[in-house]
Amino acid sequence: MTKEGLIKEIKAIAIIVIIIGISITTILVFQNTDFRDVFVYCLSGYVSLILLLFICGKYIKNRYFNNFKTVVLFPIVIIYALLLITIPFLSLIVHTLLYFGIAFLIPELLSKGLSYFHLIDFITVQTIIYLKITLTVFISVLLNPLLRDIVYRLSPVMLKSSKKLKPLELDKLTDYFLSVQNVRFFVYSFYVVALLTTNYLNFQGQSFSTNAVNDKCILQSFVTFIAFDRALALAKLLDFKPSSLVAKIHKSILKKLDAEAEG
């Protein structure tokens, strides 16, 4: 990557971080009851003023009134611009949470169902935790197209039906962001952060989860995923097909039979 390309990517990352930071800060601020009450009062007054201006606009026709109305409506233009900027980022956050949430929900429901019928009573809690984490990352990588299709159907932004949001092409944006390679990167990043946190706490005599044994599940899950990911990569390079193997075996048997018939 060239220096200009690196600077471009750094700027893009900075913009993404800033927008996500602003969104999270806004959500946290609105959790404050006192601020929320003040905001509601101010918003009610602002909406009332706008309605009054539109009513008066039918009877008042002069430049000064129009200029005043433009100034009053200017915050709406700013809010609309901010929404256009934040909607793609917020939709990606929601879709990513949905994607991995569904991937986790599959082994979770499977575990609940098997537990209900007492079919996994012989398996320890730590083994179940390990299997849940491992199956979640396996599913997130292997079932990428299926999971994205489910996300589209469950998405609160209504990717397939909303005509107003269609020009934003949020479906293409999600396809790009949640591609197989990106999902693999997210999984590896999760493991890196989890392992750094777990190892630090363990060295401090603490545990990331309820105990050190549960923490070990994360480490073993990561080791399993590395082997799994490596196996997938090698499988793509293999010049091997089960159908070709069966055909070759069939051909060798026929040659053997022909040789015995001639002999």
Side-chain angles (χ1 to χ4, degrees):
M1 183 181 294
T2 63
K3 181 179 179 181
E4 291 76 10
L6 180 61
I7 294 175
K8 180 180 179 181
E9 297 303 323
I10 292 175
K11 288 182 179 178
I13 293 173
I15 292 173
I16 293 172
V17 171
I18 291 172
I19 293 176
I20 293 177
I22 292 174
S23 302
I24 294 175
T25 302
T26 303
I27 294 173
L28 293 176
V29 168
F30 273 91
Q31 289 181 344
N32 187 305
T33 306
D34 295 335
F35 180 86
R36 189 164 58 243
D37 293 341
V38 173
F39 176 79
V40 170
Y41 291 135
C42 293
L43 181 62
S44 301
Y46 181 66
V47 171
S48 301
L49 177 60
I50 292 175
L51 292 175
L52 181 62
L53 287 177
F54 276 104
I55 294 173
C56 295
K58 296 181 179 180
Y59 307 100
I60 303 175
K61 304 292 183 181
N62 61 66
R63 186 182 63 182
Y64 299 105
F65 179 80
N66 290 335
N67 289 339
F68 177 70
K69 186 168 68 173
T70 301
V71 172
V72 172
L73 295 177
F74 184 72
I76 295 180
V77 178
I78 299 298
I79 293 173
Y80 180 74
L82 290 175
L83 284 175
L84 284 179
I85 295 173
T86 56
I87 284 176
F89 289 95
L90 291 177
S91 67
L92 285 180
I93 293 174
V94 171
H95 292 167
T96 302
L97 293 175
L98 272 175
Y99 183 95
F100 288 102
I102 295 168
F104 173 77
L105 192 62
I106 295 173
E108 178 67 19
L109 292 177
L110 180 62
S111 172
K112 295 294 184 183
L114 294 175
S115 296
Y116 179 79
F117 292 103
H118 304 286
L119 297 176
I120 56 175
D121 291 347
F122 62 95
I123 301 179
T124 64
V125 175
Q126 286 73 26
T127 304
I128 293 176
I129 295 174
Y130 161 77
L131 290 174
K132 284 182 181 179
I133 298 174
T134 305
L135 287 176
T136 297
V137 295
F138 280 18
I139 291 170
S140 64
V141 173
L142 289 175
L143 302 183
N144 179 269
L146 177 61
L147 290 178
R148 279 192 279 117
D149 184 64
I150 297 174
V151 167
Y152 294 153
R153 298 177 187 279
L154 298 180
S155 173
V157 297
M158 298 175 293
L159 293 179
K160 301 295 184 182
S161 59
S162 177
K163 295 181 178 179
K164 293 183 178 180
L165 295 177
K166 190 174 182 179
L168 291 175
E169 297 186 333
L170 297 178
D171 52 346
K172 294 182 179 179
L173 189 62
T174 302
D175 284 340
Y176 174 76
F177 190 70
L178 291 177
S179 65
V180 176
Q181 295 302 322
N182 286 351
V183 168
R184 288 175 61 245
F185 172 76
F186 296 149
V187 171
Y188 274 108
S189 299
F190 160 76
Y191 276 125
V192 169
V193 174
L195 289 175
L196 284 173
T197 306
T198 301
N199 289 332
Y200 172 79
L201 291 175
N202 287 342
F203 291 142
Q204 292 293 110
Q206 304 173 19
S207 61
F208 180 72
S209 55
T210 54
N211 55 65
V213 179
N214 289 343
D215 291 352
K216 189 178 179 181
C217 298
I218 299 174
L219 174 60
Q220 296 304 318
S221 176
F222 182 43
V223 173
T224 306
F225 178 75
I226 292 175
F228 162 76
D229 191 54
R230 185 59 180 166
L232 284 181
L234 291 174
K236 295 178 181 178
L237 301 176
L238 287 177
D239 185 19
F240 173 80
K241 295 180 180 178
S243 58
S244 298
L245 178 63
V246 172
K248 290 181 182 296
I249 294 174
H250 179 256
K251 186 177 180 180
S252 66
I253 293 174
L254 291 178
K255 283 185 178 182
K256 173 63 176 174
L257 293 175
D258 291 341
E260 290 180 354
E262 292 176 358

